[in-house]
Amino acid sequence: MQDKAQFSYHRYVDPKGGTVDRRIFSDPDIYQRELEHIFARSWNFMCHESQIPEAGDYFTNYIGDEPVICVRDRDGSIHVMLNSCPHRGNTVCRAESGKARGFLCSYHGWAFGLDGSLKVVPGRKDLYNGEIDREKWGLLRAPHVATYSGFVFACMDEDAPPLEEFLGEVGKLSLNLIAARGDMVCIDGVQKNVLDCNWKLAVENLLDWYHADITHHSATMAGFIGKPPSHNWHRTMLGEYGHALSGPRMTEETWAAAERGETSKEVRFPEAWRNEERAREMLGPIGRDVKGHPNVFPNVWITASGRQICLRLPKGPEKTELWWFTFVDRGATPEYRAQVASHGTHSFGPAGLLEQDDGDNWIQGTKRTRGVLARKLPFNYQMNLGHGQPHAIDGRSVYIDDHTNEHAHLWLYRSWADWMDAESWADLKANATPVPTEAV
Ligand code: FES
Ligand SMILES: [Fe+2]
């Protein structure tokens, strides 16, 4: 790897000129560094607490492209362990989710407890002469596991800040957009599909409200979705460590405009908040108006409906797996639950109309980042460049109210470069780009 004094990943991102070097979307060395400097260092979304309510309940997920087991222990605590046997690397837990008393490796039979500790080694006395140190050979455990508003996160870096500090205002608001709806539970079955695109292109799309008019025009024509929201009322939020949010504002003003037929009525879901007071308290005055899409850095998308989360899991420089989690109120009727599940299934995921529209654009874009001619051309992120006026929220996050823009996209890549440059959490904290106070 290059000497840091001479090499900075900020060379790929030009926030003043509004461009990003397209090579970052397919370069194998960059991808490897992302796994190490972003995913292995960051807090990663694992599952919702409702997916593992009882002792022994587990859900398998990934940190970067490495499988992990997220499991509830008998004392109620949650552990996250690398899903790889320390003996010869075999995948210890093969199911996507379930209930277990422990985990037995199918190769030579080493057996692990719910906390990952090595309990049984076949032949320990006779073949290992009683000398193998079981204390040392358990599954690798994440040093940090924590929940916020019911969402479970894990971090493999010992030096990481606590989850709430990492999330900041934008990350917490993002998760509360779901949690504020009530006592939410995750519907069984996570929808998964793989696209031949770079994970960052899938992430930036959720911040992008420019494409809906064209990309999703057929969905509008078919009557599956309404007219895309007006570009006039847009709220962007930029948070520390790369968290960002972008999309329409949901205000009395936009509702009146919808009544006049100037924007889509879908900008506002009248049924959205069952408990208006609770929503106001959890989201605050700025968050209460949000109807856009947040991304909890690096790869957790919360949809505008507040009913789905999508993980953009990296599977290679040009491969991304999308995981869709759908949420519903615990007390919902079977009919309403089925309605929410059906809407989720038909919007996004492998059978989702919108994601079929989106996905091919990212695939084509990714392919065109490695041509000898194309790779010399940067991508353009100049929409509203220099005109976005940030308003402070807490010194660690800001919001910008303007028309549709690409401020959040650029913030994502500036933060990406911070993470890629940093050699440790201390380095990241000391040198990360502060949230802007001047026009961006
Ligand atoms: S690989 Fe797991 S017991 Fe040998
Ligand atoms: Fe889209």
Side-chain angles (χ1 to χ4, degrees):
M1 194 48 64
Q2 296 88 340
D3 179 358
K4 193 188 166 198
Q6 296 167 2
F7 189 90
S8 166
Y9 284 81
H10 283 278
R11 73 172 48 187
Y12 294 114
V13 184
D14 178 1
K16 291 259 181 297
T19 60
V20 173
D21 190 319
R22 67 170 77 190
R23 290 173 299 177
I24 71 167
F25 299 105
S26 55
D27 184 292
D29 292 339
I30 285 181
Y31 174 75
Q32 281 305 319
R33 192 169 171 99
E34 287 171 343
L35 296 178
E36 196 179 336
H37 281 240
I38 297 178
F39 291 94
R41 185 171 293 156
S42 177
W43 283 91
N44 293 265
F45 174 66
M46 293 288 104
C47 64
H48 190 256
E49 284 209 77
S50 63
Q51 294 176 274
I52 49 169
E54 294 171 3
D57 289 348
Y58 66 85
F59 181 80
T60 54
N61 200 328
Y62 286 82
I63 289 183
D65 60 6
E66 292 177 85
V68 292
I69 311 166
C70 181
V71 60
R72 173 105 43 196
D73 205 343
R74 289 175 185 82
D75 64 359
S77 62
I78 298 172
H79 308 296
V80 171
M81 292 100 66
L82 194 65
N83 194 357
S84 173
C85 181
H87 185 226
R88 289 291 189 283
N90 186 25
T91 303
V92 172
C93 179
R94 304 294 182 97
E96 294 182 352
S97 60
K99 193 187 241 337
R101 281 180 294 179
F103 301 99
L104 175 74
C105 179
S106 62
Y107 196 174
H108 309 93
W110 284 21
F112 306 89
L114 294 177
D115 62 355
S117 58
L118 179 56
K119 301 286 190 198
V120 178
V121 176
R124 186 175 70 88
K125 281 203 184 115
D126 300 338
L127 306 179
Y128 285 92
N129 307 308
E131 290 169 357
I132 186 162
D133 185 350
R134 280 182 296 182
E135 295 281 309
K136 281 192 183 161
W137 291 95
L139 298 173
L140 177 68
R141 257 173 64 171
H144 304 294
V145 179
T147 63
Y148 180 78
S149 284
F151 300 95
V152 184
F153 284 75
C155 178
M156 282 293 184
D157 192 318
E158 193 83 51
D159 300 326
L163 176 61
E164 289 200 27
E165 185 185 327
F166 166 75
L167 291 171
E169 284 307 304
V170 176
K172 288 191 284 188
L173 165 65
S174 305
L175 298 170
N176 282 340
L177 286 171
I178 296 179
R181 284 165 197 277
D183 183 11
M184 305 300 278
V185 295
C186 186
I187 292 176
D188 279 349
V190 174
Q191 291 189 71
K192 304 177 178 180
N193 63 309
V194 177
L195 293 174
D196 292 331
C197 70
N198 183 267
W199 68 274
K200 298 187 293 301
L201 282 183
V203 169
E204 78 149 62
N205 172 264
L206 68 94
L207 304 167
D208 189 295
W209 290 77
Y210 184 34
H211 76 284
D213 297 337
I214 299 297
T215 295
H216 300 305
H217 191 63
S218 57
T220 301
M221 284 172 68
F224 180 70
I225 55 171
K227 214 166 69 173
S230 160
H231 291 296
N232 294 334
W233 294 278
H234 196 94
R235 175 158 289 169
T236 304
M237 295 176 78
L238 312 177
E240 211 171 26
Y241 304 130
H243 309 306
L245 180 154
S246 178
R249 270 187 292 151
M250 181 173 64
T251 65
E252 292 310 314
E253 196 186 359
T254 51
W255 185 241
E259 292 289 357
R260 294 194 301 270
E262 292 167 21
T263 187
S264 167
K265 284 202 172 181
E266 291 185 17
V267 165
R268 173 163 160 157
F269 293 142
E271 51 77 48
W273 314 112
R274 278 159 194 263
N275 185 334
E276 196 65 41
E277 215 171 292
R278 175 184 152 98
R280 277 184 201 284
E281 195 180 308
M282 288 181 79
L283 304 177
I286 307 298
R288 177 63 187 79
D289 290 348
V290 158
K291 177 64 177 66
H293 294 158
N295 182 52
V296 177
F297 192 89
N299 64 340
V300 189
W301 171 17
I302 290 90
T303 62
S305 67
R307 295 212 172 273
Q308 288 189 286
I309 277 183
C310 182
L311 273 182
R312 310 330 214 161
L313 290 169
K315 294 290 173 188
E318 299 181 45
K319 204 175 275 292
T320 303
E321 189 160 328
L322 310 181
W323 283 21
W324 283 96
F325 301 72
T326 303
F327 297 88
V328 71
D329 318 57
R330 191 182 296 275
T333 61
E335 293 74 27
Y336 186 67
R337 198 183 175 94
Q339 198 185 322
V340 169
S342 167
H343 186 265
T345 307
H346 289 103
S347 301
F348 301 112
L353 189 58
L354 301 183
E355 204 152 76
Q356 300 308 314
D357 292 341
D358 287 319
D360 195 57
N361 292 333
W362 315 333
I363 293 168
Q364 297 299 319
T366 299
K367 279 185 186 166
R368 301 287 89 76
T369 60
R370 50 182 153 76
V372 292
L373 301 176
R375 73 185 180 209
K376 293 180 184 144
L377 307 171
F379 284 167
N380 180 306
Y381 295 86
Q382 294 175 337
M383 187 180 291
N384 207 44
L385 190 68
H387 300 282
Q389 287 296 341
H391 305 281
I393 300 173
D394 64 348
R396 297 177 60 207
S397 36
V398 297
Y399 71 96
I400 298 165
D401 285 347
D402 212 313
H403 54 68
T404 298
N405 59 70
E406 292 177 336
H407 302 310
H409 306 49
L410 270 178
W411 181 247
L412 170 74
Y413 294 117
R414 283 179 88 168
S415 304
W416 170 86
D418 289 340
W419 283 80
M420 293 291 276
D421 274 358
E423 294 298 342
S424 64
W425 259 106
D427 193 3
L428 182 62
K429 282 182 172 184
N431 297 312
T433 310
V435 289
T437 52
E438 307 286 325
V440 287

